[in-house]
Amino acid sequence: MTAIPSFTGDARPYGGGDPYADYRTADFDFTRHADLADRRLGAAVIAANDEFFAQRENLLLPGRAEFDPEHFGHKGKIMDGWETRRRRGASAEHPWPTAEDHDWALVRLGAPGVIRGIVVDTAHFRGNYPQAVSVEGAAVPGSPSPEELLGDDVKWTTLVPRTPVGGHAANGFAVAVEQRFTHLRVNQHPDGGIARLRVYGEVVPDPAWLEALGTFDVVALENGGRVEDASDLFYSPATNTIQPGRSRKMDDGWETRRRRDRGHDWIRYRLAAQAEIRAVEIDTAYLKGNSAGWASVSVRDGESGEWTEIVPRTRLQPDTDHRFVLPAPAVGTHARVDIFPDGGISRLRLHGSLTEQGAAQLRARHQELGG
């Protein structure tokens, strides 16, 4: 893995035209993982000590931050991010904030898991970004209040130490802590603004919850399923196919570029754990002129198992939820959907339950990660 680029210092003042023309960014390997702080999974910014200029909830908005140079309110410039007021010192003799002064926000992850990387995006905060940031994580069961999270009995683990950042930049940080986290505390030193927060990692579900459910979607992102690879990511990420709920618009699914050869496209998934699949859904919602023409679904058991087709190549209808009841349960740890020749699907659902072996492995991993 190459070193993560570091951006520090002010960006140039906005001079008109495309506000992203001089935005500083890079490719981060960890972004192949799902965003555990995605609002669609139930993530939220549940508290902040200060949000005078711009509200904390903006941190988790989908899409990149918008910038309107003419947008002002009674408190000043309205920014698409979280922005605090300027900190001051204790007196005229000491007007500067201390080294310990900082602002903070508490984030509940939408899906608890192991964090592989964090992006603190300061887009459009050119001279009003924090000098440095730090991020801590905690694992707290249930639905704790902000007061409970700030209590002395909660153990916070440093994920990103206090590190200088740059303005108008995607500041990326790889994380190498093998623990399961449910909440984050994002700190900006001493004050300033952050446009977006992205938290990339692997979902680690609560085994007791899945056991209580019995039958559930064993490939769903919120239940611990994940995309391992896909043939084409031209228009949209393959992870969209295992997001919660139905697609609400065309780009909320997975769509490939138009093929001009005799090939086909596919996505490969890892299930929450070894499972018995009993029913399959392939949804093409909002894909009307670009739905896949045909699709098949296969499973395999283990990394080196043979692929077994459980839904044969079947004609798909546009903007339709297709349901298949399997004649016999299919046991596997991985799944694959193949579409012919190209196009897209919005969701894949694999309904079933964990095997005894799968449940035991999930419990062991949960315990190993401090769950």
Side-chain angles (χ1 to χ4, degrees), residues 56-96:
R56 64 182 190 264
E57 287 85 357
N58 289 337
L59 281 174
L60 305 187
L61 289 177
R64 63 183 191 175
E66 302 282 340
F67 180 71
D68 182 351
E70 305 299 328
H71 198 190
F72 285 84
H74 67 279
K75 291 182 179 179
K77 182 73 185 73
I78 295 177
M79 297 292 290
D80 185 7
W82 168 49
E83 185 180 7
T84 67
R85 73 194 79 196
R86 299 186 188 218
R87 282 184 170 269
R88 299 299 188 221
S91 65
E93 289 73 28
H94 298 281
W96 309 278

Side-chain angles (χ1 to χ4, degrees), residues 31-54:
T31 59
R32 70 182 186 275
H33 296 287
D35 182 6
L36 304 183
D38 193 324
R39 284 285 300 170
R40 291 175 292 181
L41 292 172
V45 187
I46 60 175
N49 71 308
D50 186 293
E51 47 187 329
F52 184 85
F53 286 113

Side-chain angles (χ1 to χ4, degrees), residues 231 259-266 313 339-342:
S231 61
R259 278 190 171 268
R260 303 306 188 199
D261 58 21
R262 294 293 181 178
H264 74 282
D265 290 313
W266 51 267
R313 191 180 304 188
I339 64 170
F340 303 86
D342 55 25

